[in-house]
């Protein structure tokens, strides 16, 4: 049994496009994910977030679940298309009204809102008019949106995350093309990374100016344990590059003020175009870093590769439904690296969890022992990292609810609460009851 620090905070989360639904309600504008999902063949079973978990109407029921769990914090994202339906200019009061209801209900329940300002659902109008994140202008449009939102909520929301996983939306959305907007252009993808980072940096002082003495600002980055398939120089170099692409390309400009030289050299004339002063904007000091961790990838050299090296499957070890290796030591490695190499002032573990093939028993219970084992093993590694001095302030399990899992649609269930989509009935899984006990005792057995 391990005891977590007294002030340690426990949470869970969801994100707008994955749970809200009500895609055409109360003035919400179209997002690039609405458009992407409407393209046949992009999403498993041609599913979309048009209805999702109907959280827009059922938020009070979901907050009751948060209270039942006993969480102290709740991660959610604000949908830009609800606030500014065309991305810029007119503000949609009904959009603000929804998040007023959500935030006020969270505060009433004694739950700290942790709000992410962008979780991939760009207003489609900006994609049509500017070309989306390919255009530097979109970073400035983001800053305008952030000003509207933080002016409105700055006295009630004190923990802000500018972006979620810019690496994923940049590369899966613009290089690999399995995420919105579905581009497949290496040069474009790298250029969007700079515009995401610029947007982040532009947002930081705006959030602070519209907040108060309790306002804290961060960004959420995704981390994967990366190991070479062999110790050959080629496999080691391929792994080093992928660490650069997925991790250091974002960590270094934010915490060290410059892109990693080895990646810049590798990119050659694919390196993003920047402007004087961008580096200083991106490197504006943060109060904390949000970190997501799920799995390990074992990387193999490929002589034909330039911007993406393949990973190989590891036989004989447990995998989740996403075919992701269960590798708990990776969360320890990630946390201690952030502390050792980047001296991050404070860290919140924003997402950690697993998809398994959950099913409802005849008595309306859901047994998910593999998820409990996954969470337990990762939390034991988290505890070891904290014991070694890592300034981890809190942990959130992904996710509160089963939800729209992007290109995988609804077949992947990450929730500690089961969602029966045809009826929208919520059922706390065994892992939710287990997590409730972890929070109540602040210990993991
Ligand atoms: N896939 N997967 C699960 C989870 C996804 O549902 C979140 O939206 C992302 O922030 C991150 O990728 C992690």
């Amino acid at each position: 049994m391990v005891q977590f620090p007294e002030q340690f905070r426990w949470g869970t989360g969801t994100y707008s496009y994955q749970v809200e639904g009500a895609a055409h309600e109360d003035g919400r504008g179209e997002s690039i994910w609405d458009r992407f999902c409407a393209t046949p063949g992009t999403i498993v079973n041609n599913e979309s977030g048009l209805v999702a978990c109907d959280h827009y109407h059922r938020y009070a029921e979901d907050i009751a679940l948060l209270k039942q769990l006993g969480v102290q914090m709740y991660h959610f994202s604000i949908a830009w298309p609800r606030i500014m339906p065309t991305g810029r200019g007119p503000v949609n009061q009904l959009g603000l009204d929804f998040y007023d209801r959500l935030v006020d209900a969270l505060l009433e329940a004694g739950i700290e809102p942790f709000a992410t300002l962008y979780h991939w659902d760009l207003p489609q109008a900006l994609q049509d008019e500017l070309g989306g994140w390919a255009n530097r202008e979109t970073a400035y449009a983001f800053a305008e949106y952030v000003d509207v939102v933080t002016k409105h909520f700055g006295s009630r929301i004190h923990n802000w995350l500018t972006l979620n996983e810019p690496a994923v939306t940049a590369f899966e959305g613009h290089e690999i093309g399995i995420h919105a907007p579905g581009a497949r252009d290496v040069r474009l993808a790298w250029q969007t990374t700079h515009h995401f980072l610029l947007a982040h940096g532009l947002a930081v002082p705006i959030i602070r100016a519209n907040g108060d003495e309790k306002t804290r600002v961060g960004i959420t980055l995704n981390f994967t344990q990366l190991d070479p398939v062999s110790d050959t120089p080629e496999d080691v170099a391929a792994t080093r590059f992928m660490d650069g692409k997925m991790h250091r390309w974002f960590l270094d400009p934010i915490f060290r003020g410059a892109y990693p030289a080895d990646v810049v050299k590798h990119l050659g004339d694919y390196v993003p175009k920047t402007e004087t002063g961008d580096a200083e904007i991106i490197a504006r000091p943060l109060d904390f870093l949000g970190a997501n961790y799920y799995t390990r990838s074992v990387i193999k050299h490929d002589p034909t590769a330039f911007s993406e090296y393949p990973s190989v499957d590891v036989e004989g070890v447990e995998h989740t439904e996403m075919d992701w290796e269960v590798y708990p030591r990776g969360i320890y490695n990630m946390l201690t690296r952030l502390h050792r190499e980047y001296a991050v002032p404070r860290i919140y573990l924003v997402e950690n969890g697993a998809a398994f093939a959950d099913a409802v028993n005849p008595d309306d219970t859901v047994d998910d022992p593999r998820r409990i084992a996954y969470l337990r093993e990762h939390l034991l590694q988290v505890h070891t990292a904290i014991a070694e001095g890592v300034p981890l302030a809190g942990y959130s399990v992904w996710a509160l609810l089963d939800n729209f899992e992007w290109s995988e649609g609804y077949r992947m269930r990450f929730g500690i609460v089961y969602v029966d989509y045809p009826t929208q009935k919520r059922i706390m899984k065994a892992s939710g009851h287990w997590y409730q006990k972890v929070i109540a005792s602040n210990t993991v057995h």
Side-chain angles (χ1 to χ4, degrees), residues 15 18 119-120 164-165 292 294 322 324 351 398 405-406 414:
Y15 291 115
Q18 295 180 270
H119 195 106
W120 308 353
N164 174 79
E165 297 194 348
N292 294 348
Y294 286 93
M322 292 286 285
W324 291 353
E351 293 180 30
W398 180 261
E405 190 43 68
W406 309 113
F414 275 87

Side-chain angles (χ1 to χ4, degrees), residues 93-109:
Q93 185 59 48
L94 292 174
L96 289 172
D97 292 351
F98 166 64
Y99 294 107
D100 275 333
R101 295 193 293 274
L102 177 69
V103 169
D104 291 345
L106 285 169
L107 295 172
E108 174 66 26

